[in-house]
Amino acid sequence: MLKLEDTYLHKGKRKALVALLREKGIKSESVLEAINNLPRHFFFDSALISHAYEDKAFPIGEGQTISQPYTVAFQTELLDIQQGDKVLEIGTGSGYQASILHLLGAEVYTIEYQKKLYEGTKRFLGRLGIHMNLFYGDGSEGLPSYAPYDKILVTAGAPIVPNALLKQLKVGGVLVIPVGDRRRQTMLRLTKKSEKQIVREEFDWFAFVPLLGKDGWKR
Ligand code: SAM
C-alpha cells in the first residue's frame, strides 16, 4: 500500500499553485486556504504523482479525470460555502473536490456513476479519515432521498440543467453546473429565489468530461 507523505517539497509546490490560482483571479481566501491544506498528490495515481501541482486535469481511471485546480477553485468560489451547508456533489471522481467542500465545513453528499471509481474513492477517503456520504448511482437525477440541499455542484459537463436538481435545492440555494455541448460548456450559477424564480448567471467556458445518465449524455 502506498505511504501517504506530505513533504516540504509538496507543500512548496502547493503554495506556488495557490499563488497561481490567485493570479488567475481566485479571490476567496477560504477556498485558497483549503487548496493549500489538502495534498492533491494523495488523490493521484502513483505514476502521475509528480504532476499533482500542475494546474491541469489528470486521468483517474475509467476514462475520467480529477478536475484542474483552477476549475475546482472557480466552482467552489461560486458556491460560497458556509459552515454547515448541506452540499450535493454530482461526480465524486477522485474525491478531491468533495474533500475541499468538507474542509470548508460543508456536510457533503456526493454521487458517482462509475462503480469502480465509487468503490476506490470510498476506500481511499476512509483511509484518509475523511468521512462523508458517498453514493453510487446516476446523479443527473440528484439524490432525492436526502434533499433538500443548500448547494448543488455538478462536476461533469451537462447537456441541460436537470429539473430534478432545481427541485432538490432549498429556496435560497445555489446550483453550479457547466452546461453546453460535449466539447465545452458555460459555467452557470442558478440561485433559487423562490419555488418559481430562478436567477441565472453565466461565467467562462470550461471543458468537462460528459455528465452521463438520464438527464445527461447517452454513452
Ligand atoms: N469531482 C471530481 C474530483 O474531484 O476528482 C472530478 C470529477 S470528473 C471531472 C467528473 C465525474 O463525474 C467522473 O468521475 C464521472 O464518472 C462522473 N459522472 C458522470 N456522469 C455522472 C452521473 N450521471 N452521476 C454521477 N457521476 C457522474
Side-chain angles (χ1 to χ4, degrees):
M1 192 183 274
L2 183 71
K3 198 161 156 238
L4 297 175
E5 273 186 321
D6 192 26
T7 64
Y8 282 109
L9 187 63
H10 296 125
K11 288 182 177 132
K13 286 186 175 180
R14 219 150 52 236
K15 225 173 169 185
L17 174 63
V18 165
L20 177 67
L21 296 178
R22 209 187 281 280
E23 253 173 51
K24 287 186 168 180
I26 301 300
K27 292 190 177 61
S28 164
E29 286 305 324
S30 56
V31 171
L32 291 169
E33 191 187 333
I35 289 175
N36 194 43
N37 288 339
L38 187 65
R40 187 171 186 248
H41 64 283
F42 285 2
F43 297 78
F44 270 58
D45 205 80
S46 49
L48 292 172
I49 240 167
S50 60
H51 299 286
Y53 296 104
E54 292 172 19
D55 189 22
K56 287 184 188 160
F58 280 97
I60 52 172
E62 305 306 302
Q64 305 304 324
T65 54
I66 180 170
S67 298
Q68 181 184 349
Y70 176 71
T71 305
V72 172
F74 192 88
Q75 289 197 292
T76 312
E77 188 165 74
L78 287 183
L79 284 172
D80 188 22
I81 299 294
Q82 304 298 312
Q83 186 74 30
D85 271 353
K86 187 173 170 187
V87 181
L88 172 64
E89 181 201 24
I90 318 296
T92 314
S94 67
Y96 177 76
Q97 168 75 75
S99 301
I100 292 282
L101 298 171
H102 173 82
L103 276 184
L104 287 167
E107 179 192 348
V108 182
Y109 293 75
T110 180
I111 180 164
E112 173 55 51
Y113 201 52
Q114 304 289 339
K115 193 155 196 195
K116 269 197 181 160
L117 277 182
Y118 158 76
E119 287 170 346
T121 298
K122 194 177 165 84
R123 261 196 316 274
F124 166 69
L125 290 179
R127 245 181 94 203
L128 275 190
I130 297 181
H131 300 292
M132 61 177 81
N133 307 287
L134 287 108
F135 299 86
Y136 161 61
D138 178 9
S140 77
E141 301 190 87
L143 187 62
S145 31
Y146 295 88
Y149 304 97
D150 295 296
K151 314 271 163 74
I152 300 180
L153 170 62
V154 181
T155 68
I160 54 161
V161 176
N163 255 330
L165 301 187
L166 289 172
K167 248 196 206 151
Q168 290 168 37
L169 263 190
K170 288 183 190 169
V171 169
V174 170
L175 165 63
V176 171
I177 178 169
V179 176
D181 59 29
R182 276 182 179 263
R183 268 186 324 114
R184 58 178 205 164
Q185 306 85 29
T186 307
M187 192 65 76
L188 301 182
R189 176 166 63 186
L190 303 164
T191 305
K192 189 170 179 175
K193 293 286 183 188
S194 71
E195 286 301 339
K196 288 193 178 142
Q197 195 201 359
I198 305 286
V199 171
R200 174 186 165 117
E201 296 165 275
E202 289 192 10
F203 300 88
D204 285 349
W205 290 104
F206 288 82
F208 282 84
V209 293
L211 179 78
L212 302 176
K214 184 169 164 284
D215 273 350
W217 298 97
K218 305 305 158 213
R219 276 173 202 273

